[in-house]
C-alpha cells in the first residue's frame, strides 16, 4: 500500500485513458488533488493536444489555478502504431514521436515554472518496456519511449536539487493503445509480459510517493528489462522465436507489408 499523498497537487496527461484514469483514481484515494489533461476534455478533465504548445501551456496554467499550484506532473499521454522500420516514417509514425516524446517535453516545459515554485517538484515520465526490449514493427513507439527515457535523464541532471524525475517502464498493459497495431495485424499479446492496468497505476502512484529514479510495473517486467540490458542478443533471439511462432499461427500479419 502506498503512503498518503494528502494535499499533493498532481497534473496527469492522458487522464481519460485506462492507465491515466486508474492512476488519477488511485492518487485521489491517497489524498492527492488531481487535475487531468487529455485530448478529450469533459469539464473536469481539461482538453488539450500535447502537440500544441499554446494549448498545453493554457491547460497546465488552468490546472495550476484549479489546484493552487503543481507539485507533480505525470506525463502519461501516448499512442501506439505499427510500421515497417525500413519504410519512410508516415503520419502515424510522426504522430507517435510527437505525442509520446515531444508531447511530454512540451508539458514539462509548461509545468516547470509551477514545479519550481512548489519547492518539491517531481516529474513522472511514463516510458515503456519497449524502450529497452526490442519488438518488431514498433520502431516509432520504441524510439519515442527510449527517447523519453533519455529526456528524463537529461532533465534529472540539469534540474538536480530543484526537481526530481522518475522514469516508469510499464510492461504490456491491455488498454486501447494496442487497438491500432492489432488492427494493422500486429498484436503483442503473447509476445511480451502482460501487466494489469492496476499494476501500472500502482507503479505511477509509487513514483509520485517515493520518487525513485526509475521503476517497472511488475517484478516480471523488471526482470525482462534487466535481461534485455545485460543480454540483448539472448532476448532478441527469444523475441524472434516468439515472432516466428506467432507468424506461423497467423497472429502476426502486418497489413502494411502486403
Amino acid at each position: 500500500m502506498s503512503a498518503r499523498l494528502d494535499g499533493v497537487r498532481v497534473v496527469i496527461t492522458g487522464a481519460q485513458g485506462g492507465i491515466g484514469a486508474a492512476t488519477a483514481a488511485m492518487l485521489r484515494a491517497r489524498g492527492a488533488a488531481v487535475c487531468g489533461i487529455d485530448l478529450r476534455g469533459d469539464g473536469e478533465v481539461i482538453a488539450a493536444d500535447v502537440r500544441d504548445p499554446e494549448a498545453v501551456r493554457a491547460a497546465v496554467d488552468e490546472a495550476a489555478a484549479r489546484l493552487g499550484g503543481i507539485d507533480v506532473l505525470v506525463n502519461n499521454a501516448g499512442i501506439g502504431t505499427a510500421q515497417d522500420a525500413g519504410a519512410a516514417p508516415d503520419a502515424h509514425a510522426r504522430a507517435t514521436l510527437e505525442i509520446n516524446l515531444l508531447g511530454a517535453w512540451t508539458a514539462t516545459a509548461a509545468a516547470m515554472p509551477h514545479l519550481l515554485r512548489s519547492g518539491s517538484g517531481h516529474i513522472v515520465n511514463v516510458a515503456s518496456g519497449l524502450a529497452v526490449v526490442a519488438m518488431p514493427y514498433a520502431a516509432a513507439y520504441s524510439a519515442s519511449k527510449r527517447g523519453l527515457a533519455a529526456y528524463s535523464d537529461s532533465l534529472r541532471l540539469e534540474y538536480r536539487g530543484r526537481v526530481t524525475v522518475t522514469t516508469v517502464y510499464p510492461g504490456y498493459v491491455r488498454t486501447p493503445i494496442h487497438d491500432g497495431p492489432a488492427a494493422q495485424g500486429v498484436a503483442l499479446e503473447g509476445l511480451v509480459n502482460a501487466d494489469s492496468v492496476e499494476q501500472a497505476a500502482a507503479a505511477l502512484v509509487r513514483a509520485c510517493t517515493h520518487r525513485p529514479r526509475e521503476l517497472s510495473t511488475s517484478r516480471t517486467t523488471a526482470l525482462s528489462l534487466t535481461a534485455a540490458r545485460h543480454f540483448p542478443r539472448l532476448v532478441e533471439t527469444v523475441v524472434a522465436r516468439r515472432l516466428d511462432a506467432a507468424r506461423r499461427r497467423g497472429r502476426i500479419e502486418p497489413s502494411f507489408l502486403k
Side-chain angles (χ1 to χ4, degrees):
M1 182 66 69
S2 297
R4 297 289 299 176
L5 288 162
D6 294 320
V8 176
R9 301 161 299 182
V10 183
V11 173
I12 178 169
T13 67
Q16 296 278 44
I19 295 175
T23 301
M26 283 191 183
L27 287 169
R28 290 188 178 107
R30 304 294 189 274
V34 182
C35 190
I37 297 174
D38 198 283
L39 186 61
R40 299 172 290 113
D42 61 5
E44 180 178 351
V45 173
I46 302 167
D49 186 335
V50 294
R51 293 173 291 183
D52 183 339
E54 293 301 323
V56 171
R57 186 178 300 109
V60 168
D61 287 346
E62 182 178 342
R66 292 185 185 184
L67 298 173
I70 301 173
D71 301 307
V72 179
L73 170 67
V74 180
N75 284 310
N76 171 70
I79 63 170
T81 58
Q83 57 279 137
D84 176 0
D90 59 14
H92 296 295
R94 293 179 185 278
T96 300
L97 290 163
E98 289 173 0
I99 292 170
N100 296 1
L101 173 56
L102 297 182
W105 192 339
T106 298
T108 298
M112 188 60 75
H114 303 287
L115 294 169
L116 292 172
R117 279 195 293 270
S118 161
S120 59
H122 184 59
I123 298 165
V124 179
N125 286 328
V126 182
S128 169
L130 296 195
V132 181
V133 179
M135 279 290 138
Y137 312 120
Y141 185 81
S142 294
S144 71
K145 293 301 188 177
R146 188 173 295 188
L148 183 57
Y151 172 64
S152 295
D153 292 341
S154 295
L155 193 64
R156 185 183 299 109
L157 183 61
E158 291 179 30
Y159 282 84
R160 65 191 184 282
R162 293 179 289 169
V163 171
T164 52
V165 182
T166 298
T167 309
V168 180
Y169 294 89
Y172 172 75
V173 181
R174 296 180 180 93
T175 67
I177 196 173
H178 300 290
D179 292 348
Q184 294 173 280
V186 181
L188 292 182
E189 188 78 32
L191 285 179
V192 292
N193 299 314
D195 292 336
S196 68
V197 170
E198 291 73 22
Q199 284 176 305
L204 294 186
V205 172
R206 289 197 302 276
C208 294
T209 307
H210 302 297
R211 305 188 175 192
R213 186 180 190 280
E214 61 180 44
L215 77 163
S216 304
T217 47
S218 70
R219 290 184 178 179
T220 302
T221 295
L223 288 172
S224 297
L225 299 185
T226 298
R229 285 173 172 137
H230 293 281
F231 308 102
R233 290 186 180 180
L234 175 61
V235 172
E236 286 173 4
T237 298
V238 171
V239 171
R241 288 176 178 173
R242 290 181 180 178
L243 175 64
D244 290 342
R247 281 173 172 158
R248 288 194 295 270
R249 295 195 298 269
R251 292 190 59 252
I252 298 290
E253 297 180 311
S255 59
F256 45 82
L257 297 183
K258 296 178 182 179

